Amino acid sequence: MGVYSIAHSLLALGPKDLFLFLITGSLFFCLLNYTVGVVLFHRVNSEKAGLKTPPLVPSVLPIWGNFSFRAIFDPRAWALSASNVFGNATPVRARFLANDVYIFQGVKNVEAFFRQRDLSSFNLHGFLLNRAFGLPTAAMKTYAKDDSGAYPKPYPESQVEPRNRIEYQLEKSLHRFLLGPGLMPLTRRFQSAIAQHFYTLPISDDWVSWDNFVTFFEQELTAPFLNSLCGDYLLRAHPDFLANRWTFENNIWSMIFGLPRFLAPRAYRARDGALRALKDWHVWALQNFDPALVDADGDDPVWGSKFFRERKTIFDTIDGFDLDAIATHDLAFIWGTTNNSIITSFWTAVETFSDPHLLAQVRQEAEACLIIDPEAGPDQPPQFDMDKLQQQPVLQAIYAETLRLRISGYFVRHHSHGDIAIDGWRIPNNHIILTSPMHTHMDPNTWGSERPVDQFWPGRFLKPAPAPGGGSGWEFTTERAPGAWIPYGGGYHMCPGRHFAKMMIIFSTALLTTMYDCEIRADPRNLAMSMRNFGFGMSGPTSKVPARLRRRAH
């Protein structure tokens, strides 16, 4: 039958019959596409010789590929339910429109993924800096030209000048600050600042209510951290900086999607306000810096950490990096160091204060680490043996279980220096490769059957052990699921702030439980995880979480 005859036959159908024909035909086409995909999936997966190509996951919808509208409106539920995409024992390909995304899941494959040194998230960082944080065009062009890699020795084919090696310069600076000599000075400043700040909060032995406990952490925990990071001028001169920072956080996807200003005015106003504050701080710091005030660690009260002072020197040599570009990077760094650690601290506090038995254990561990100073005055906050505190088993278990339960997102990598092999699997040049901790974190076969995996239970990370003074106690362990707990990623690009984040979360929990009583007054439904910022790590709550605090009598 010719095309003309087919068209003539269709026109002869009534509206109802034509509608049924189109629906039936569409379903048949989707079924045929899926059937062919299943056959190819199993054929490709059975290759034996040479490098294997990850099989293409069968797709029911040929236009959207393996992604659906559920991936937009409930991305976490979609990722956990899409077992053919994220639950495979072997790497797979999933198709979105015309693009193939390579997905590595399972402990063995994820470890191989993280070991691959040629993978990087640099291209993604440049995209996010431009779309979400407003990186100027001139600086973006320099980003686009940097193909030198993140290591001291650039890729052989790269022609980028050493001063324009942005990826390498930023990686080295971050590692030196958060993993190297800059970590301990920052940690000491933060511990002193947060202890003093929490101790002097205007909270007495009468209950003080908070409309939303999240804002307590966004304000009262973020403030001492920023003062430790970049001195106190920023918040002193711009008290709206914190509100702008968190408003920007809660609207970040509208920026990434490229919504115009008239459709996302709050997001743009918040970002513009935060960037103005950072530029003003830079101008003030340049005018007021005094080398005589630099301490033995290289820090000073004007710039705060020498990290920012050194980065300014680096940025001044890079093409296209004016004050606007520098402020963009500062906002991105502040966002990156606070977006997960602050919300994780909130969740650890909520879980601890909501369980009287768990609260008693945490207080016992925290008080065992107190340093008693008989000469300390009444205005001195409690002091802790920090090394001992961070080794307490229950506190570590709460921290680890919070990350296991509520991390939402992906570790995304890219490569552009030819095809690569990952544990025998061939990945073509210039493709996105990703993995996610969500599936392994929520796998009941991995975490046992004592409690459902969607319930908070620190016992997953505890095993019985002899107590120091005799009797029985607990020991923190990840042996239950070796290699399956990966909240910070792995390999060279593993989150450099992981050590500081652990300290912040455990220390803030110890301080709050030692100094205050707290009642969480939220409906359990309000403690569900929001998908507003899905993709960037820790998920916050869907709604406000009312609570009240009072100072403990002793």
Side-chain angles (χ1 to χ4, degrees):
M1 182 182 289
V3 174
Y4 175 79
S5 299
I6 295 174
H8 187 271
S9 299
L10 290 176
L11 290 173
L13 295 174
K16 181 178 179 181
D17 293 330
L18 179 61
F19 176 76
L20 290 174
F21 173 82
L22 292 174
I23 292 296
T24 305
S26 298
L27 290 175
F28 174 77
F29 181 62
C30 290
L31 181 60
L32 178 63
N33 179 77
Y34 180 76
T35 303
V36 171
V38 170
V39 174
L40 292 176
F41 178 83
H42 289 290
R43 282 189 62 187
V44 175
N45 203 27
S46 63
E47 291 179 15
K48 296 180 180 179
L51 290 178
K52 297 169 290 185
T53 298
L56 182 65
V57 176
S59 169
V60 176
L61 296 174
I63 297 177
W64 284 94
N66 303 97
F67 300 88
S68 64
F69 286 107
R70 190 183 187 190
I72 299 174
F73 296 108
D74 195 352
R76 181 181 171 90
W78 171 80
L80 291 175
S81 64
S83 58
N84 64 330
V85 179
F86 294 103
N88 284 284
T90 59
V92 298
R93 286 178 293 145
R95 183 160 292 166
F96 177 64
L97 298 178
N99 299 306
D100 283 352
V101 177
Y102 290 77
I103 300 171
F104 279 65
Q105 290 294 142
V107 172
K108 177 178 176 291
N109 296 319
V110 170
E111 288 177 346
F113 168 86
F114 286 136
R115 284 198 305 268
Q116 177 54 252
R117 290 174 62 86
D118 289 330
L119 296 180
S120 170
S121 55
F122 180 64
N123 288 353
L124 177 64
H125 291 166
F127 172 80
L128 289 176
L129 281 166
N130 178 250
R131 293 292 286 269
F133 296 91
L135 184 68
T137 302
M140 191 62 200
K141 289 180 179 178
T142 308
Y143 258 87
K145 294 177 182 177
D146 183 13
D147 59 355
S148 62
Y151 306 106
K153 186 177 180 180
Y155 286 112
E157 66 273 20
S158 176
Q159 299 298 315
V160 176
E161 295 181 57
R163 64 187 178 86
N164 285 332
R165 295 193 61 203
I166 305 174
E167 183 175 12
Y168 168 64
Q169 298 265 39
L170 291 181
E171 288 275 6
K172 184 173 72 171
S173 176
L174 284 173
H175 280 225
R176 187 166 58 238
F177 182 48
L178 294 173
L179 294 172
L183 177 60
M184 286 311 299
L186 174 65
T187 298
R188 288 194 297 267
R189 288 197 306 275
F190 172 74
Q191 290 169 358
S192 175
I194 186 182
Q196 189 65 38
H197 187 75
F198 275 17
Y199 189 73
T200 56
L201 287 172
I203 300 174
S204 66
D205 54 0
D206 293 324
W207 289 108
V208 176
S209 297
W210 288 80
D211 179 53
N212 187 6
F213 201 34
V214 173
T215 60
F216 175 89
F217 289 85
E218 292 177 349
Q219 299 290 325
E220 309 302 341
L221 182 55
T222 312
F225 171 65
L226 283 183
N227 289 339
S228 306
L229 193 65
C230 51
D232 63 2
Y233 174 83
L234 180 62
L235 294 185
R236 182 160 43 86
H238 302 278
D240 61 344
F241 179 82
L242 287 181
N244 284 332
R245 179 256 174 270
W246 289 105
T247 299
F248 166 75
E249 160 97 358
N250 292 328
N251 293 276
I252 193 167
W253 275 109
S254 64
M255 319 291 283
I256 293 173
F257 285 141
L259 294 182
R261 284 181 177 267
F262 74 89
L263 291 179
R266 279 190 81 223
Y268 282 98
R269 278 199 305 270
R271 188 183 74 180
D272 292 347
L275 290 173
R276 278 196 305 270
L278 289 166
K279 288 191 288 186
D280 175 66
W281 167 57
H282 265 272
V283 172
W284 176 85
L286 288 170
Q287 294 172 346
N288 291 274
F289 172 65
D290 183 354
L293 297 178
V294 175
D295 63 22
D297 297 314
D299 302 322
D300 72 274
V302 175
W303 286 101
S305 306
K306 70 175 180 178
F307 169 75
F308 289 104
R309 197 173 72 243
E310 289 181 345
R311 282 219 314 180
K312 175 68 166 61
T313 303
I314 294 170
F315 288 153
D316 283 343
T317 68
I318 300 176
D319 291 344
F321 272 61
D322 57 8
L323 187 56
D324 288 320
I326 295 172
T328 296
H329 281 80
D330 287 349
L331 179 59
F333 177 78
I334 289 171
W335 170 80
T337 52
T338 53
N339 70 322
N340 285 323
S341 56
I342 299 297
I343 299 302
T344 305
S345 299
F346 157 79
W347 282 120
T348 60
V350 167
E351 297 290 1
T352 302
F353 280 118
S354 298
D355 184 335
H357 177 68
L358 194 60
L359 175 61
Q361 290 180 295
V362 167
R363 282 176 169 164
Q364 183 179 16
E365 287 189 345
E367 289 168 8
C369 301
L370 282 170
I371 299 174
I372 306 301
D373 183 0
E375 298 182 0
D379 296 329
Q380 296 298 312
Q383 299 181 51
F384 292 88
D385 180 333
M386 288 303 301
D387 290 336
K388 183 179 179 181
L389 183 68
Q390 293 185 78
Q391 297 302 313
Q392 294 301 303
V394 175
L395 276 164
Q396 288 190 91
I398 295 171
Y399 154 81
E401 175 69 350
T402 301
L403 291 173
R404 181 202 67 83
L405 182 62
R406 293 191 170 94
I407 285 286
S408 295
Y410 308 95
F411 300 116
V412 183
R413 301 289 187 263
H414 180 264
H415 68 105
S416 56
H417 295 275
D419 295 358
I420 61 173
I422 303 179
D423 201 28
W425 296 93
R426 174 184 168 273
I427 310 298
N429 183 48
N430 206 30
H431 277 74
I432 288 176
I433 313 168
L434 62 82
T435 187
S436 173
M438 291 183 291
H439 206 275
T440 55
H441 283 189
M442 301 299 291
D443 182 3
N445 296 321
T446 299
W447 297 98
S449 57
E450 294 96 328
R451 301 285 179 89
V453 290
D454 60 352
Q455 289 185 10
F456 178 85
W457 183 48
R460 299 181 213 278
F461 294 91
L462 294 171
K463 68 177 182 179
S472 60
W474 296 107
E475 178 182 339
F476 174 76
T477 179
T478 58
E479 293 176 357
R480 176 189 294 266
W485 186 74
I486 48 172
Y488 297 109
Y492 181 79
H493 297 289
M494 190 175 185
C495 175
R498 59 191 181 275
H499 300 305
F500 186 87
K502 179 182 179 182
M503 180 278 301
M504 175 191 284
I505 295 160
I506 288 179
F507 189 40
S508 64
T509 304
L511 280 172
L512 277 175
T513 54
T514 299
M515 290 191 284
Y516 296 101
D517 291 320
C518 177
E519 288 185 0
I520 307 299
R521 314 186 84 182
D523 187 293
R525 291 173 296 181
N526 294 344
L527 295 175
M529 288 182 287
S530 169
M531 293 295 101
R532 177 186 296 171
N533 298 328
F534 177 86
F536 295 106
M538 182 58 59
S539 300
T542 54
S543 307
K544 291 183 178 181
V545 179
R548 61 178 189 170
L549 289 167
R550 69 179 179 188
R551 196 174 295 267
R552 295 182 72 197
H554 66 278

